[in-house]
Amino acid sequence: MSKILNYLCHLVLNSLCAQCQEHEVFVAHGSVAVLPCIDETSAVLKTVWRREKSGLEFRPVRDPPRANCPVPNFGKADYSLHIAEATIEDEGKYICEVEGKIRMAKVINLRVVRASFSPAVVVEGLITEATCHVSPGTQSVQMNWKRNGKLTRTTSLSNVSEKDGGDWTCQVAYTGGVVEATTSLQVKGIVTPQDNSSVVYAAVGSSVSLPCIFTDGLIPYTVMWNRTSTTSYSPLPLPASFHESAGPSASATIQRVEDGDEGMYACSGMMKGLNGESNKVQRRMELVVARVLRSSSSGGDRPVTLTCHLSNSSQITSYEWLRVNYGPNDTQTVTSVQRTKSFRMQEVNEKDAGELVCRYYGKHGVLGNATYELHVMGSENSSSGNKTAMVMGLGFFFLAIFVVLFQMYRNYRRKQMILLYPAMETIVHQAATEREQRERKNDFSKL
Ligand SMILES: *[C@@H]1O[C@H](CO)[C@@H](O)[C@H](O)[C@H]1NC(C)=O
Ligand SMILES: *[C@@H]1O[C@H](CO)[C@@H](O)[C@H](O)[C@H]1NC(C)=O
Ligand SMILES: *[C@@H]1O[C@H](CO)[C@@H](O)[C@H](O)[C@H]1NC(C)=O
Ligand SMILES: *[C@@H]1O[C@H](CO)[C@@H](O)[C@H](O)[C@H]1NC(C)=O
Ligand SMILES: *[C@@H]1O[C@H](CO)[C@@H](O)[C@H](O)[C@H]1NC(C)=O
Ligand SMILES: *[C@@H]1O[C@H](CO)[C@@H](O)[C@H](O)[C@H]1NC(C)=O
């Protein structure tokens, strides 16, 4: 019975829509779909929305909370159907039937556009694919992907990187408009640094942190730090004061940077992908060591040249020399003296003594600084080598004096002994002479 009814309804609708044209409504997945149904005659007795998918089906106007017909506005008989958070399941044909002076029926094909990634959460280095789904309809559409506002052709990512994370938009153009559906890709791996081109600057004697921060909740089962030379990639030992930090971050610290610690540092973590596959994520960063070099001239008031030296200065755009003065209560006053790589002073006076700082800049501002302690003339001019010589010289001098004094003391003691026992010397002498004579006699008797 109902089957026959269905069939009859079909016939009626089909005949009705022989004149009426089928409308297509495009909507992005998750947004509000508005299916228009406006009665121009506005003397309505009864309206009903039906949905046709496989056969004919009634759709109560107020029942599902997501679909409703808002109150007709401005006297117009507007029976448009609003569907909140439209999903793929909502797509298909809808029929609006209005019974007024004349019977009217509108057929609307709801087409939902949905963008997605599979998988939507991926460990960097692995594979993911973007899909833009549009339900089939009568008109063909043009589909494009946009990334950060720019069109992109890559939708199949075979080596996901941290940079791929974020929103991706699928744009569907049809006759009558454009619909955009957005999806987001979550990349897990090393968040900081983002790529392999980061450079860390540190002055000799300072402490520096080498960042290696994993995505929240992503725990690698091993973390390893390696160091290579910047030019040859040959392995180098890690500095003596290199420490890996404990806890969720794999960042490392060099407690006291020394000349020669520069190079490429690599942090790598082994982790499980979503399907259990083992995957290694790695970041390389360059450590550039900065220090102040002083010209070798050693005279008291001869010119002194301080040079700001960096192990790799390819990203340095300018230098600045600053003088730092300390006031009461540890107040610091910094004055700029010169804007050059090398700082030349004609003579070094007592007033020049103190802290000099070389600050170096890159394209985006200050990159770091290196401090030099300029001493007052006297102490500054005696280099450590001279000091050693001086200490040794003084040592010899005191040793010589000691030897002389000791000898004098011994002579003095001997004189005292002779004075105390005047006969002693004669006795000793006599005994020695007698022994000699005895020995001589023995020698003659042997012959
Ligand atoms: C993946 O991309 C990174 C750069 O993002 C590159 O260094 C690496 O060699 C690539 N790996 C493969 C297997 O292509
Ligand atoms: C960094 O370089 C390593 C190889 O040294 C590579 O495996 C990794 O994918 C690179 N990462 C990025 C983000 O370029
Ligand atoms: C890093 O160094 C360790 C030894 O300290 C070595 O076993 C490992 O192969 C190195 N890894 C890389 C990527 O060079
Ligand atoms: C210096 O750094 C640049 C990148 O900043 C790099 O391309 C170059 O190889 C480095 N040179 C040396 C000698 O380390
Ligand atoms: C130094 O600190 C003390 C106490 O904090 C304050 O009374 C005094 O004024 C400060 N002196 C200068 C020169 O700022
Ligand atoms: C030098 O750099 C250190 C660390 O970045 C900073 O604390 C200090 O204030 C800087 N000194 C000058 C004079 O800029």
Side-chain angles (χ1 to χ4, degrees):
M1 191 58 189
S2 72
K3 263 191 184 162
I4 296 167
L5 202 68
N6 263 357
Y7 177 70
L8 285 174
C9 283
H10 247 300
L11 277 184
V12 170
L13 273 169
N14 285 349
S15 61
L16 272 168
C17 284
Q19 312 113 21
C20 79
Q21 171 189 29
E22 187 179 306
H23 287 280
E24 281 192 322
V25 168
F26 285 81
V27 67
H29 178 92
S31 61
V32 180
V34 179
L35 312 188
C37 182
I38 298 164
D39 176 38
E40 294 84 10
T41 63
S42 85
V44 176
L45 304 172
K46 190 175 128 203
T47 60
V48 67
W49 269 98
R50 299 160 194 266
R51 187 184 178 196
E52 190 185 60
K53 203 157 193 181
S54 49
L56 199 76
E57 164 194 334
F58 282 98
R59 189 178 188 106
V61 162
R62 287 181 202 283
D63 203 15
R66 284 197 299 114
N68 72 316
C69 290
V71 190
N73 45 5
F74 302 113
K76 257 198 203 161
D78 185 346
Y79 306 103
S80 303
L81 185 70
H82 291 232
I83 304 172
E85 292 166 41
T87 66
I88 300 277
E89 288 77 52
D90 295 325
E91 61 196 14
K93 272 187 187 159
Y94 289 78
I95 300 134
C96 172
E97 252 180 73
V98 181
E99 269 182 44
K101 278 178 212 144
I102 48 158
R103 245 175 97 112
M104 164 194 111
K106 294 202 166 170
V107 177
I108 286 146
N109 192 357
L110 176 63
R111 298 180 68 182
V112 177
V113 178
R114 194 178 80 164
S116 63
F117 267 103
S118 175
V121 180
V122 63
V123 172
E124 61 180 81
L126 299 182
I127 299 164
T128 190
E129 182 143 10
T131 313
C132 191
H133 160 98
V134 188
S135 56
T138 51
Q139 71 165 279
S140 64
V141 293
Q142 208 193 341
M143 201 187 285
N144 281 308
W145 278 94
K146 279 203 303 188
R147 172 96 179 111
N148 300 324
K150 283 187 200 130
L151 289 178
T152 176
R153 288 186 186 282
T154 5
T155 54
S156 185
L157 308 170
S158 60
N159 179 11
V160 174
S161 80
E162 206 65 38
K163 287 195 281 286
D164 298 325
D167 283 351
W168 290 67
T169 301
C170 166
Q171 193 180 57
V172 171
Y174 58 99
T175 42
V178 172
V179 163
E180 288 190 341
T182 297
T183 185
S184 100
L185 175 67
Q186 197 191 341
V187 179
K188 294 196 161 206
I190 298 173
V191 198
T192 313
Q194 265 220 337
D195 54 32
N196 279 331
S197 64
S198 70
V199 182
V200 177
Y201 292 87
V204 167
S206 70
S207 106
V208 68
S209 167
L210 301 174
C212 186
I213 300 162
F214 287 85
T215 317
D216 238 6
L218 183 79
I219 297 154
Y221 56 89
T222 52
V223 172
M224 201 157 45
W225 277 91
N226 287 63
R227 178 185 170 210
T228 57
S229 110
T230 11
T231 43
S232 66
Y233 290 101
S234 55
L236 290 173
L238 292 169
S241 66
F242 182 93
H243 294 285
E244 278 176 41
S245 71
S249 148
S251 304
T253 310
I254 303 176
Q255 240 118 46
R256 204 188 141 77
V257 173
E258 293 184 27
D259 197 20
D261 285 352
E262 64 267 11
M264 295 300 292
Y265 288 77
C267 148
S268 51
M270 292 295 290
M271 57 193 62
K272 288 253 185 286
L274 293 168
N275 305 321
E277 69 273 48
S278 229
N279 192 44
K280 178 169 139 185
V281 296
Q282 185 177 325
R283 286 294 182 282
R284 281 182 290 119
M285 62 204 86
E286 184 177 353
L287 175 67
V288 171
V289 174
R291 68 193 168 120
V292 173
L293 295 179
R294 186 186 180 283
S295 67
S296 52
S297 83
S298 59
D301 41 13
R302 260 181 265 164
V304 166
T305 305
L306 300 179
T307 305
C308 204
H309 179 265
L310 285 108
S311 60
N312 184 345
S313 56
S314 69
Q315 289 186 7
I316 310 298
T317 53
S318 66
Y319 298 85
E320 183 179 16
W321 283 92
L322 307 159
R323 185 179 291 286
V324 183
N325 291 309
Y326 292 93
N329 290 359
D330 278 340
T331 50
Q332 242 189 24
T333 38
V334 179
T335 30
S336 177
V337 264
Q338 208 168 318
R339 283 197 145 269
T340 48
K341 181 181 165 107
S342 292
F343 176 42
R344 191 175 149 91
M345 283 172 282
Q346 276 312 318
E347 48 185 324
V348 180
N349 299 319
E350 208 151 324
K351 66 171 173 56
D352 297 316
E355 204 173 292
L356 279 162
V357 173
C358 161
R359 189 183 273 173
Y360 40 93
Y361 296 80
K363 268 201 303 244
H364 306 295
V366 179
L367 289 175
N369 62 45
T371 303
Y372 185 79
E373 211 60 58
L374 189 64
H375 298 288
V376 207
M377 268 186 284
S379 56
E380 195 208 8
N381 294 332
S382 64
S383 70
S384 65
N386 283 351
K387 270 183 199 149
T388 322
M390 206 166 80
V391 167
M392 281 173 72
L394 275 174
F396 275 120
F397 176 70
F398 283 120
L399 192 70
I401 290 200
F402 173 76
V403 167
V404 168
L405 283 175
F406 186 68
Q407 198 55 50
M408 278 167 74
Y409 169 76
R410 266 178 43 177
N411 289 349
Y412 170 75
R413 278 297 296 260
R414 249 184 53 203
K415 272 192 192 135
Q416 290 270 309
M417 293 275 278
I418 290 162
L419 280 177
L420 272 172
Y421 312 100
M424 189 81 128
E425 205 163 17
T426 355
I427 294 166
V428 171
H429 192 248
Q430 261 181 3
T433 335
E434 275 168 23
R435 196 173 56 234
E436 267 173 35
Q437 281 173 349
R438 250 184 283 125
E439 277 168 4
R440 256 184 232 136
K441 267 186 209 152
N442 283 352
D443 290 348
F444 280 124
S445 59
K446 272 182 196 156
L447 284 170

